[in-house]
Each structure stands twice: as C-alpha cells, then as structure tokens.
Amino acid sequence: MAEELIIEAGKAEKNYWKDLWRYRELFYILSLRDIKVRYKQTVLGVLWSVLRPLITMIVFTLIFSKVAKLPAAGSAPYAIMVYVGMLPWQFFANAISEASNSLIGNTNLISKVYFPRLIIPTASVITSMIDFLIAFFLMLLLCLFYQYLPGWQIIFLPLFLLLAFTLAIGIGLWITALNVKYRDFRYIVPFIVQFGLYVSPVGFSTSVIPEKYRLLFYLNPMVGVIDGFRWSLLNGEPALNVESLLISVLISLLFLWMGITKFRKMEKSFADII
Amino acid sequence: MSNIIIKAEGLGKSYIIDHQRTERYATFRDTVSQTIKGLFNNKSSNVREEFWALQNINFEFNRGDRIGVIGRNGAGKSTLLKLLSRITEPTTGKISLKGRVASLLEVGTGFHPELSGRENIFLNGAILGMARSEIRSKFDEIVDFAGVEIFLDTPVKRYSSGMYVRLAFAVAAHLEPEILVVDEVLAVGDADFQKKSLGKMKDVSSKEGRTVLFVSHSMAAVENLCNRGMLLDKGKVAYIGTAKESIEHYLKGNDILGSKILANTKYVNEVLMFNCDNIIASEFEMGTDFTIQINAKGIKEIQGLHLGFFIKDEFDQKISAFSTAMKPLKLLYNSEENNDSYLFKIESPNLIEGKYIIDISVAYKKGGRLEYIENAYVFHILSKDVYGSGVFLNNNFGKIYLNVESTLKTKA
C-alpha cells in the first residue's frame, strides 16, 4: 500500500525535505546530464576548462608580478600562487552563472513535472565542480613543472572547497529565485564575476592590502576561501587568518540561509510565472 | 480499506490578473519604477483582478478507474491536472492521493537532444520519479515497446519524430505509477500509435489496477478508454458519472453557445445550429445529423434572390456549399415570427473531426451578391470511431470521410 499524499493549500512545506531525499536519483541524473552535455559536443570540451585558467594565470602573473611588481606571499612561485587563487574563484564564478540560468534553461521541465526545484540549481553547481577537478589536476602538473610540493595542509582542502561550495550555492539560489521573477537579474551575475575578481585576492596576495583596509577587505567572503586554498596548497604560507576565515564562514552561511529561504518562497510560483 | 484513491475537497485555484502589465514577466527595473510612480500617484492605475481557474471542486475516484476529464477550452482541465501533479499549489481546499502520480508528458519534455536514447530513458525515468534500478529492470521492455533497439546509442536529435514519441510514451507507460495523468498527448502520432497507446493505458488500468486520469477533446477516445467521466465548466464540476453520461451532458451543453445574433446586416439576423436531438449546440459528433437555421428577412420578397452558405475549414478552405437556388424549399407557415427561418438539415455529414466555419451569402441566382457574411458561425465536429474499428479519424485524415463498401476479390 502506497502512502497517502495530501496536497493542501499553503502546506507544501511539509513534504519538501522528504521529497528532496526521494528525488535524489533525479539529482544524480540531472548532474550527469549536464556534465555529459557539456563535454559532448564541444570539440575543445575538456581542453576548454584547461585553457581558461591557464591563460588567465599567465596574464595575471605578467600583469601583477612583472608589470605591477607585487610581491609573492610566500616561497611559492608567483604563477602557482595566482593559479591556486584562481581555482576557487573560477569554481565560484562558474557555479553562480550556471545556477542563475539553470531554471530558465529548464522551463519546460518546471512547467510540466513536479520535483523539488532546488535540485536544478544545485545540480548545475555540481557540474562546475567537474571543471574545478580538471583545473585542480592541471595544478598538480604545474607543481611538477615548478618542482613545487604542497605540504600536509592539503588534507584541509576539502573543507575550504566546501566553504566555496556553500557560498556559491547560497548566492546562486538567491539570484536564481530572483531571476525567474525579474529577468534582468541575470545581468548582475557577470557584474559580480567581473567586479569580484578585482576585490578578491586572485592576482595578488592579501598581504599587499594595507592593514587599515583589511577588515573591509575581509567582508568579501571569497577572501577567506582563497586564502584558505593558498594556506592548504602552499605549505601553510601565508599563515591562516582566523578572522577572515570566520567572517567568510559566517557570511557564507548567511547567504546559504538567505538563498534557501528566498528560493523556497519563490519556488511555489515558479510554474505560474516562468 | 477504502478503495478511494483520489479525493478532492473544496479545491480551488485562483490567479491574479494584472491588467496593467502586458509583459509576461516583470523586470526588476519596472517594479522599481512603478513603485516610485505609485508614490506620487495616489489614484491606483493598477487594476488587479482575481480569476478563479477552478473553484470548489469535489470528487472521489476509486482504484482502477479510468476517468475522462472533459470540458471546453478554459474550463480548468489543465489547471486541475497541474494541481494533481503538484506543479502548482492549490489556493483553497485539499487533495488526498494514495500513491504516486505520474504525468505522461508532452512529447520530449524530459528529453535532451544531445543525449542518446539509452541516456534519455534514464533521464526521463528519473524525471518521472523512477529509481535507476526500476528503470534498469524495465529497460528491455521499454526499448521493445518503442522499437528503437538499433538507435539506442544515437543522440535523440537524430531520431524521427515518430521514434521520439514512441520512446517518450514507452517510458511513461512502463513507469507503473498508481495514478497516471494523461493530457492530450495522443493528439500526435499516427492512428496506429494512438491505438497502441490507448490499448496500453487500458491494460495498465484493468490488468494492474492503476488509475488513469485522461484529459482530451476527443470524445471518441474518452468514450473508448474511460469508464468514468467528469465534466468541467468554467472552473466548476458540471457533472460526474459514467464516461458516456458525461459526454452526453457535454454534448447537450445547455450553456454551450448555439446561436449568434448578427449585427450590421440587412437580410440575415441570426444563425443557430441544432443537433440530431433538436437541441441547440455548436459541437456535433462525427456522422450525426445537424441543422443550420438562418433567420433572415426580405429575401423571399425579391424575385430571384437566394440564401446560401459555405462551410469552410479552419484554414479558410471551402469544403462545401449549399443555396436555396440549388434545390426547392419546403414551405411551412409560421405567423408568429417576424423573421423567416431557413432550416438546412444536413444528414449524416461526412465531416471529420475539426473546427468548421460557416459563411452566409445572399445573392441572385444569376450573380450579384447583396450580402456576404464571413465567419458567421463556428462549429466543431467531435471525433468518433465511425467505422467501429478503433481507428479515430482526426484531421490527419483530411476533412471528409467516405462511406466505403470494400471488397476483396480473390481466387477461392
């Protein structure tokens, strides 16, 4: 005997988290679909996710190290320092742009079938994770090239990745929800991505920021993530700044909470307005 | 254990219609600018209207029922299905469902063109709520039903539309939900496929005791498939009963417009249509007689002037025509009416399912039109299995069907 399902006005909440678990297969298959489609018809495919970080790294190294003559943070080569900063940044940037378009791209599904909508943007963030893994593998090659060995701190890397993931999903969900209702919200994403790159320590190290502006700088949650990546991949140099990490964790959690609440609130009407 | 599988109590869904907004979705910019405008403009120019797509719907259906949901466009059929499949939330009331609901999707909704047939079976299955293990155990059966074995690893974008449909239906039909919701999907596909899928749905319900909710404009398909019927009208339940009774109620359709007063005309004032039971109607079953009544004045007074009509299809192609010039009229005297009524009874019209339009013409036999009313009246022919063979004629078969006596001569 199948269990009874009761649909009642204004009481969709009750079943939600249970449904999310029940639809985990769909989550898995949608992620798989996005990944397959992404690498299927593009000739450059995987190469594309290799070239992008590599070229950005070269340009950034030239500009910030050679032209602007900024100092490296530790003993690691400047190029590696830039690359390590770029790993979480590109993951974050990809994830929020993929997530914010995901619902619009799946309009036909949303207006025809029920499933917890949270699955779609989350699955698209997972797709960005694949790009991250490819870029990460490339970093290992880069280390080989520079004969540079990451230290024991690398075991903490998954924690910082989780932090980046939390932040990306939080902001992603928030923008996604607004994007369904207000179609001009998608223009915000390229802005965040472009502007964020310059206020995050990707091409330079946090140490070049004057002491008195540090706290303001730390309000950007990506600072904690990027510094955390550097700490864990570059032999603990520069040392971990607990203050910035804490701010980053708090802001990420705040965004996650905001994202989920906003998304849940808007979700009920998605099928009606999309 | 009670046998009720679907139960709705006081179900309603309302939409807010914003008369000011013409665009489909707002932009944040507009919202901001309108709020600011509103601050300076006390008189609210925003006319908001509540529209109830469904109101106070109550019903109960049992396990194994095949329910045909019928009604005119805008009666709320699709909204009801959306509520049942949880795509949108009801505004009032509640629905109790015992078991999994799956909707048979419009063709290819759950497909991705770049992926292969195999991958799409899993994708579509997951979208419909199947577990991978479940799909795997049904995989061969699905492929078999769809008949796409050799193309399993071809991206579906290279499939023919027929293969596409078959695959989509195969996945949904093998999904084994307790409640299967089917919305007009059978309009596509050839007669063979329609027959196969109707048969499959019947099987699903009678052999496996599953419940099918079927929405269609094809009365023939509803009558063929369903044992129960529910007639919706303007968001309310108008009738619940057997499929046959519901269809009868629908066809009688007291509130279905069956006449049209014409304005700005000199001779012709009104057009009405009657079905074979002499009830005013605008929808007729294929093959049943109907009557066109045209009320007019001042025609018989002029020597040589005649009244006629054209029947056109929805693409404005003339199908047929008739005029009082072609065949003498039978005269009946009726002293009470100011108008003259011209009655044209059309016996067993061979029109196939579809929308038809009547043009009326007042002209001299030798030529010279005095009045021509385009699109004077619209009526619909509803499909029916006229040959009694399970083949439903729809507009894929043209506009006219033939009464054929077919013989095979062969050596004994």
Side-chain angles (χ1 to χ4, degrees), chain A residues 55-76:
Chain A
I55 292 172
T56 322
M57 177 200 80
I58 293 170
V59 172
F60 272 30
T61 308
L62 284 178
I63 292 178
F64 288 105
S65 168
K66 298 285 181 284
V67 179
K69 300 214 186 316
L70 293 178
S75 55

Side-chain angles (χ1 to χ4, degrees), chain A residues 1-12 15 19 23 25-26 28-30 33 36-37 40-41 108-114 117 181-185 268 271-274, chain B residues 1 13 15 24-29 31 63 82-99 105-106 109 112 114-115 119 122-123 126-127 131-132 157:
Chain A
M1 182 65 220
E3 58 187 301
E4 184 161 5
L5 173 73
I6 294 177
I7 306 169
E8 216 169 334
K11 290 209 177 146
N15 302 314
D19 276 349
Y23 279 84
E25 293 264 342
L26 179 64
Y28 169 81
I29 286 191
L30 276 184
R33 175 195 76 171
K36 275 182 182 158
V37 169
K40 214 157 208 177
Q41 262 227 332
N108 54 353
L109 270 190
I110 289 172
S111 54
K112 293 282 152 48
V113 203
Y114 168 82
R117 312 309 191 196
K181 181 138 192 216
Y182 305 112
R183 291 296 158 97
D184 49 356
F185 251 82
K268 280 175 251 164
D272 296 337
I273 56 177
I274 202 163
Chain B
M1 188 186 82
K13 171 83 186 174
Y15 290 97
R24 199 154 151 238
Y25 17 76
T27 60
F28 186 63
R29 192 193 60 203
T31 311
R63 189 174 307 279
K82 273 192 176 168
L83 292 182
L84 285 175
S85 47
R86 300 167 69 194
I87 295 163
T88 94
E89 244 198 337
T91 316
T92 63
K94 74 177 207 183
I95 312 171
S96 321
L97 299 162
K98 279 187 196 142
L105 302 175
E106 241 166 70
T109 300
H112 196 289
E114 298 289 345
L115 299 179
E119 289 162 335
F122 282 96
L123 173 62
I127 287 169
R132 257 173 305 155
K157 64 176 174 183

Side-chain angles (χ1 to χ4, degrees), chain B residues 195 224 385-392:
Chain B
K195 207 172 156 186
N224 186 295
D385 183 4
V386 279
Y387 297 118
S389 61
V391 178
F392 300 106

